[in-house]
Amino acid sequence: MKKQIKIFDTTLRDGEQAPGCSMNLHEKIEVAHRLELLRVDIIEAGFAVSSPGDFEAVSAVAETVKSCTVASLARCSAADIDAAYSALKKAVSPRIHVFIATSDIHMRHKLKLTPEQVLETTERMVRYAKSLCPDIEFSAEDAMRSDPDFLARVVRTAIKSGATVINIPDTVGYSTPQEMRAAIEKLRAAVPECEEVDISVHCHNDLGMATANTLAGILGGATQAECTINGLGERAGNAPMEEIVMAIRTRPDLYPVETRIDISQIYMASKTVYGIIGKTAPFNKPIVGANAFAHEAGIHQHGVLADRSTYEIMTPEAIGIPSNRMVLGKHSGRHAFQDRLSQLGFELSREDFENCFNRFKELCDKKKEVSDQDIEALVRNLLPEEDNSYFKMKSYSVHAGSSEAATAVIALEIGEEVREEVALGNGPIDAAYKAVDKIIEPPEYIFEDYAIQSVSEGKDSLGEVVTTLGYGGRLFTGRGLSTDIIEASILAYVNAQNKLMDYYKKRQAAEAVLPEG
Ligand code: KIV
Ligand code: ZN
């Protein structure tokens, strides 16, 4: 039997903490659902102590996920460990993930601790975490720039104190594959107790070597790989799960190991995560980019037509890329729609299903062929009621031309009331957004980003718009979907403004109850 490599996914922690990648609770649960379908072994759901939102997300994921271990990150402090443990209370299989830096640079400049103090803290805090939870992962932050002898002492101490997993991160993405393999081999040789635990690698991608380093770590004896969907993560990101898993699958001659991952779920997981953060895959991204399986050059096309293996080392079907055939249409009923949703891995509540089915029927009137990508976008854009609770778009009318300023008339529902405003702008979207601002009078915000993409091919494709607003050091993303891109743009903006308003109101309410002085 092949050696099993555990997949530890940190999209919801290391991925989510990267700029522009924040997710709300509803979105985190959706990602956790995708990770469960992928059959990852461990989901790192957040850093419970870092904010009430993170705590809530770790608790919700812990409660929802049944077939994976759920982990929360914690520094080596009792308060962090208590928060992690308390957020993980409802997990079927909880793991506390404690970390402390072990490189000279980090110990001296960041922690201001001596190596002996780091050793003592490791022992005390791993013991404390172990007194609460049987499964403890210990990470030596910046391990790959740490003195190997000191690293071995820390690892021995952590295992003696109860750690069940030892993680060796390349925190700043500084290593090369040769170094990574040698580091894991040397650690295993220096600390025979490593045999009793899982050894993990966690590679950042600053030099573009995260996937190669992770695979090298596995060759050196790592039994767990840490990664994220699409390689999200601090700075240049983490090792992308889809690349690690497909490299292992495609080159069994080099990597005589296996993972539990259901590779047919890769594409949908990737789409879901990109959709949530409002980005699309770079066109040439390995495995999930639009060109990953495209053959443009005549000589390549000829080869692929003769035999796919000439230029294809993996098939798009294997990772679940839906074919662009028409899947459903005007005459499809509830059963067919429900069936297709299940095949795509969506489990909707009765209310969401009805909502989605109605939108599907509306779409069938506008578009002859409704593809899997369309259905997927309809589900992704089923926004929870609370995301649009302050104002809703009622109607809009926009006039634009080459020789005059654009004009927009927008009507919004605000509770029982309908308010309408008109504005001029530099183009129809600017005019529409100005009219919305006149109605809602938002606090001063920064317009961070506007992104638009077509969901499928063809002139009648759905347009999906994501707008990002900044306020109070946070980012608020809104999404809108329509065959009319002006409508999609207004919906996305109104959605982002709703989220911003919710935060603004809660912050005002919290400040109002703070004692003076
Ligand atoms: O990159 C890193 O070192 C980390 C640790 C906290 C595991 O993310
Ligand atoms: Zn990291």
Side-chain angles (χ1 to χ4, degrees):
M1 208 174 92
K2 283 186 176 171
K3 187 166 116 185
Q4 282 280 331
I5 300 297
K6 292 183 183 137
I7 296 293
F8 176 112
D9 182 278
T10 182
T11 307
L12 293 174
R13 198 277 298 167
D14 211 324
E16 203 264 348
Q17 80 194 40
C21 297
S22 54
M23 304 177 201
N24 64 27
L25 183 64
H26 169 80
E27 293 162 342
K28 287 182 184 174
I29 303 278
E30 200 181 329
V31 172
H33 173 60
R34 286 284 155 201
L35 293 173
E36 210 173 5
L37 288 174
L38 268 167
R39 291 166 36 90
V40 308
D41 297 274
I42 303 105
I43 297 175
E44 185 162 54
F47 187 0
V49 83
S50 66
S51 71
D54 252 52
F55 186 93
E56 197 187 354
V58 176
S59 311
V61 172
E63 192 171 355
T64 319
V65 163
K66 297 287 174 254
S67 56
C68 317
T69 294
V70 179
S72 172
L73 188 66
R75 285 164 299 194
C76 269
S77 92
D80 277 39
I81 293 169
D82 287 341
Y85 181 60
S86 150
L88 291 169
K89 236 178 1 231
K90 299 213 170 119
V92 172
S93 168
R95 172 180 294 181
I96 301 178
H97 176 190
V98 289
F99 74 100
I100 193 163
T102 53
S103 66
D104 283 346
I105 304 178
H106 277 230
M107 289 190 291
R108 190 174 318 134
H109 299 296
K110 187 180 81 171
L111 298 178
K112 303 199 189 321
L113 292 177
T114 64
E116 291 310 314
Q117 287 171 317
V118 166
L119 271 171
E120 185 275 325
T121 310
T122 301
E123 174 166 7
R124 205 160 29 86
M125 287 298 126
V126 174
R127 269 192 208 292
Y128 178 58
K130 186 76 174 184
S131 72
L132 303 172
C133 177
D135 190 2
I136 304 299
E137 172 162 338
F138 172 79
S139 283
E141 191 188 12
D142 207 16
M144 291 305 291
R145 289 194 302 167
S146 303
D147 170 61
D149 293 334
F150 179 62
L151 181 65
R153 285 179 70 199
V154 177
V155 166
R156 199 174 299 118
T157 302
I159 298 175
K160 196 179 75 197
S161 311
T164 39
V165 184
I166 297 293
N167 183 32
I168 304 300
D170 181 19
T171 302
V172 291
Y174 179 73
S175 290
T176 65
Q178 293 85 339
E179 277 177 318
M180 184 55 87
R181 179 173 182 165
I184 302 296
E185 282 172 350
K186 279 192 190 144
L187 183 68
R188 282 195 162 282
V191 186
E193 298 90 318
C194 286
E195 285 305 316
E196 298 150 27
V197 298
D198 270 314
I199 299 296
S200 174
V201 284
H202 173 115
C203 302
H204 279 268
N205 203 28
D206 298 66
L207 293 174
M209 287 193 265
T211 303
N213 284 343
T214 305
L215 294 167
I218 290 172
L219 289 179
T223 50
Q224 174 176 290
E226 303 204 356
C227 49
T228 59
I229 304 292
N230 302 330
L232 301 193
E234 288 280 14
R235 305 178 311 279
N238 285 65
M241 173 202 293
E242 59 281 5
E243 294 180 18
I244 299 167
V245 169
M246 290 313 289
I248 290 175
R249 273 295 194 114
T250 310
R251 298 303 305 271
D253 51 331
L254 294 182
Y255 306 107
V257 297
E258 61 190 8
T259 70
R260 280 188 349 132
I261 297 297
D262 175 355
I263 59 169
S264 72
Q265 295 292 331
I266 286 179
Y267 176 75
M268 281 300 286
S270 165
K271 276 290 255 188
T272 302
V273 170
Y274 276 129
I276 285 174
I277 61 170
K279 309 264 189 300
T280 42
F283 70 90
N284 58 348
K285 164 91 178 65
I287 321 293
V288 293
N291 280 6
F293 295 96
H295 304 284
E296 185 67 29
I299 192 164
H300 286 203
Q301 287 178 348
H302 179 237
V304 170
L305 287 175
D307 188 315
R308 292 177 76 163
S309 66
T310 49
Y311 287 97
E312 262 184 19
I313 58 167
M314 308 163 263
T315 66
E317 295 80 25
I319 63 154
I321 294 186
S323 58
N324 229 359
R325 75 201 135 88
M326 186 197 79
V327 288
L328 294 175
K330 216 178 168 71
H331 302 293
S332 310
R334 279 191 163 65
H335 279 304
F337 189 63
Q338 173 62 70
D339 231 45
R340 197 64 208 145
L341 284 175
S342 307
Q343 281 166 28
L344 292 171
F346 294 115
E347 282 166 29
L348 302 186
S349 66
R350 184 186 283 265
E351 192 189 340
D352 280 348
F353 175 81
E354 284 306 322
N355 205 335
C356 205
F357 184 68
N358 292 340
R359 298 202 65 191
F360 160 71
K361 282 290 180 189
E362 281 163 29
L363 187 59
C364 291
D365 285 336
K366 293 183 184 155
K367 223 175 161 265
K368 234 175 40 213
E369 299 188 342
V370 177
S371 66
D372 284 350
Q373 284 102 326
D374 293 319
I375 296 179
E376 187 199 303
L378 286 180
V379 178
R380 192 166 53 245
N381 284 275
L382 273 179
L383 304 173
E385 202 41 41
E386 66 270 18
D387 272 9
N388 270 324
S389 55
Y390 294 94
F391 9 81
K392 280 196 183 72
M393 189 187 72
K394 179 153 177 59
S395 64
Y396 70 96
S397 154
V398 173
H399 179 80
S402 56
S403 53
E404 63 213 299
T407 320
V409 184
I410 304 280
L412 297 185
E413 283 173 23
I414 306 182
E416 304 286 282
E417 211 189 325
V418 174
R419 292 200 4 221
E420 191 174 84
E421 280 291 351
V422 58
L424 294 178
N426 186 10
I429 294 176
D430 184 43
Y433 288 7
K434 281 185 173 140
V436 171
D437 283 1
K438 274 177 140 180
I439 301 174
I440 66 177
E441 297 178 342
E444 204 169 317
Y445 63 90
I446 301 167
F447 195 97
E448 296 276 356
D449 197 22
Y450 170 95
I452 182 163
Q453 59 167 323
S454 65
V455 167
S456 53
E457 283 134 36
K459 282 187 283 192
D460 59 354
S461 171
L462 280 167
E464 190 171 20
V465 174
V466 178
T467 53
T468 310
L469 308 178
Y471 173 75
R474 288 177 168 241
L475 293 176
F476 302 88
T477 51
R479 53 182 65 253
L481 182 74
S482 173
T483 46
D484 173 344
I485 58 169
I486 305 277
E487 181 176 28
S489 303
I490 300 170
L491 288 170
Y493 185 64
V494 170
N495 181 220
Q497 285 290 9
N498 265 293
K499 290 183 180 173
L500 190 156
M501 187 58 74
D502 188 52
Y503 174 72
Y504 174 71
K505 295 244 180 212
K506 285 186 177 144
R507 206 164 92 161
Q508 275 195 324
E511 278 165 10
V513 296
L514 278 179
E516 278 183 36

